[in-house]
Every structure is written in structure tokens, then in C-alpha cells.
Amino acid sequence: MSVKQLLDLSGKVALISGGSRGLGLQIGEALGEMGARLAITARKTDELEQARSQLAARGIEAAPLVADLGKPDSVRPLVDAVLAKYGRIDILVNNAGATWGAAAEDMPLEAWQKLINLNLTGTFLLTQEVGRRWMIPNKAGRVIVMASVAGLRGNAHMKTIGYNTTKGGLVNFTRALAAEWGPYGITVNAIAPGFFPSKMAEGVLATIGQAVIQGTPLRRLGGEEDLKGLAALLASDASRHITGQVIAVDGGASAV
């Protein structure tokens, strides 16, 4: 097969959680450009519709589905809806997540539990449901987990212990699941972005943005195109012998 054929996603269906904006929408653009049909999910109907329109303008089909993955009862109906619409889920992008800024000694229990429920439990339950309903029976699938460089180490500049902890959990979730589901032909890999301008990061970047840039070998923040190539690779047959990996996209910041 040619490289173009290996990267082609025509006929594939991708479910992207947190797909209405930010990094999730960028990944949706990448997978759609390579031929995949999309199901994008988020909590807000208006943001989903805006994303659907943006993708449609690029010639990309996307079904917008409202779901709050911080609530376990939302998972099965979401997967039901995708399978009813498309009949398959070849690619799962676990992008939905939240953060909370607070010193460890001041972190409210309800905020801690919110991050655990969405970032970790929501990812687990959605992956479990897609796995047992489609990927395992069909012995094929690509799972992409959105971790973070915040899950690879501590950070003295930010007080986000809940976010760091859940993203660290996703790093080992990726490795453990890759080992377990490998015999089914399913690959599981994680992308660990550094700082990208987004609604979630805008407050932090307003305070420490210049320091972040100076501490990054490439002297820049992540841009709108910087996750797309890797996401397309990990979703495609070009990555069929890559699993259990956590790949930082951070301009080299985690290397120094």
C-alpha cells in the first residue's frame, strides 16, 4: 500500500468527545479531511451546531450529539446514537476534559471529583462501551487519548493538581489498555499536548504565556495545525504497529 492509502480514512467513522471546539474540533477537521465521517459530542447544543457548520463548510460530515460524559448514564445512549447513525465506530478520540485551578491544600472535594468523573471515569466508560460494542467484536479499532504534558511531570508554575493527576492517570490508562486490547487488533495511544491557546488555557497563558514560550525550545505555543498530522497518523493504518505510546506535542518543552 502507498502512504496515501495507509493514511486514508475513507469509510471510517470517528467519535470525538469534546469535539465542538478547541483541540477536539481541530482533530475532527484532520480526520474528516482524510475521509472519516464524524460524530462529535459535547454538552452545549449551540457549540455543537457551530462546529457542525464549520466542518460542513470543509465538506466534512459530522453528527452533533449532546452528552455530558461526567455523568455515567450518558455513555450508553451516546454510543447507541452513533451506532444507529453510522453502524460502526472505528476511531475513538477521548478529548473531553476539564481543569480546576487551586492549591492542593485548598482543592474542594467536589472539584476533585468533577475532574475524576469527566477526565478519567468518562474516558474509561466511553472507551469500554465502544470497545465491547464494536471494536472487540470486529477485532479492529483506533483509540486516541488526549493526555497532557501536565500528566508527565509536576509544574511549579500552576496549581492544577487535579488536572495533573487525572492526565497522569490517562497516561497509564493508555499503556494498560494497549497491552490488554492489543490481541484484538486495537491500538491505544495518547497525545500529550503542551500549551495551546484554548478556552481552557487562556487564563493560565495570560499570566505565564511568555515564560512558557521562553522555556520551549521552539519558542512558540502550539498552533491550530500542530496536532492534526499526529491525530491522522494514529487514527489510520499507518500506525497499525504503534500502540501504548504517549507522544508529547509541546515544542520540545518536556525534553529540557
Side-chain angles (χ1 to χ4, degrees), residues 11-234:
K12 304 293 186 182
V13 172
L15 169 57
I16 305 173
S17 70
S20 64
R21 56 182 171 85
L23 303 186
L25 181 54
Q26 292 172 27
I27 290 173
E29 291 174 352
L31 304 191
E33 220 176 285
M34 299 307 296
R37 293 173 295 166
L38 309 180
I40 55 174
T41 183
R43 292 182 298 112
K44 297 180 180 179
T45 303
D46 58 335
E47 291 186 357
L48 280 168
E49 183 54 34
Q50 184 176 350
R52 187 204 63 76
S53 297
Q54 183 174 324
L55 290 163
R58 291 173 170 257
I60 298 168
E61 178 184 348
L65 300 167
V66 176
D68 181 353
L69 293 177
K71 299 177 179 178
D73 290 346
S74 70
V75 172
R76 181 179 287 272
L78 171 61
V79 175
D80 285 343
V82 180
L83 291 176
K85 170 72 174 176
Y86 291 125
R88 59 192 301 140
I89 303 173
D90 305 282
I91 303 153
L92 172 62
V93 181
N94 286 299
N95 176 69
T99 189
W100 189 283
E105 63 271 23
D106 298 323
M107 181 79 172
L109 177 59
E110 59 271 25
W112 175 270
Q113 290 175 328
K114 175 185 175 181
L115 298 189
I116 295 292
N117 290 342
L118 177 57
N119 297 2
L120 276 179
T121 305
T123 294
F124 165 67
L125 291 175
L126 183 57
T127 306
Q128 181 188 57
E129 190 74 7
V130 171
R132 64 188 176 192
R133 298 274 297 277
W134 177 260
M135 292 184 177
I136 291 174
N138 289 280
K139 291 185 167 38
R142 301 282 180 265
V143 178
I144 300 172
V145 177
M146 293 304 290
S148 169
V149 293
L152 304 178
R153 62 184 185 185
N155 193 323
H157 301 293
M158 298 190 303
K159 298 185 185 300
T160 52
I161 191 167
Y163 181 78
N164 288 51
T165 300
T166 56
K167 292 299 184 176
L170 289 177
V171 166
N172 220 40
F173 170 83
T174 297
R175 293 168 177 154
L177 191 63
E180 190 169 335
W181 282 6
Y184 300 117
I186 300 166
T187 65
V188 187
N189 292 289
I191 299 174
F195 280 99
F196 281 69
S198 67
K199 186 175 181 180
M200 184 183 294
E202 62 186 1
V204 172
L205 288 175
T207 304
I208 65 169
Q210 285 305 309
V212 169
I213 292 170
Q214 289 305 308
T216 301
L218 290 181
R219 297 294 190 269
R220 62 190 292 271
L221 301 174
E224 291 185 0
E225 311 298 327
D226 292 333
L227 288 179
K228 290 184 174 183
L230 178 58
L233 170 68
L234 295 179

Side-chain angles (χ1 to χ4, degrees), residues 1 5-9 12 142 232-242:
M1 294 177 71
Q5 289 173 316
L6 287 170
L7 289 166
D8 185 17
L9 299 178
K12 304 293 186 182
R142 301 282 180 265
L233 170 68
L234 295 179
S236 74
D237 284 344
S239 64
R240 62 189 174 196
H241 204 55
I242 302 171

